[in-house]
Amino acid sequence: MIVRIDIEPVEASTYEYRVSQQGEGLYADVGFSSAMLALVAAFEGLAPDVVALEVAYRGIVSGTYPLIVVARKPEQIADHAVMTTTTIEALLAAVV
């Protein structure tokens, strides 16, 4: 199974995550001090049959990763998600 982890900034220095599978919410939590900590917390609650996850930050998907990659490089994946969203939002703002 592949799940999606949505990470959202709630307010300054507070993040939440939602884990879903094919649009159906599985679990969520809030109160993390970074996107990386939210990603790690979401990862730790995954069911044993999950083999990969899709990571989205503020609704923009940055990639789909095998679990082993997320386990080894959560900081890099979270940073990539934030940078991807920031870049895409800047490009969209420039077009408007």
Side-chain angles (χ1 to χ4, degrees):
M1 167 168 59
I2 298 173
V3 298
R4 177 173 170 152
I5 296 177
D6 285 285
I7 301 170
E8 298 282 338
V10 179
E11 52 189 54
S13 299
T14 304
Y15 296 82
E16 68 180 2
Y17 72 79
R18 289 178 311 281
V19 178
S20 61
Q21 199 259 330
Q22 294 184 337
E24 181 181 330
L26 300 175
Y27 59 95
D29 202 358
V30 65
F32 303 94
S33 61
S34 71
M36 193 264 309
L37 291 175
L39 175 63
V40 169
F43 178 85
E44 290 175 348
L46 294 175
D49 60 340
V50 174
V51 297
L53 53 92
E54 182 179 80
V55 177
Y57 182 75
R58 291 198 321 225
I60 297 175
V61 176
S62 61
T64 304
Y65 306 93
L67 289 186
I68 191 71
V69 173
V70 179
R72 290 183 179 165
K73 300 180 178 193
E75 186 171 5
Q76 290 159 315
I77 291 171
D79 287 347
H80 181 258
V82 172
M83 284 192 321
T84 298
T85 296
T86 301
T87 302
I88 290 172
E89 289 176 342
L91 291 168
L92 290 171
V95 172
V96 177

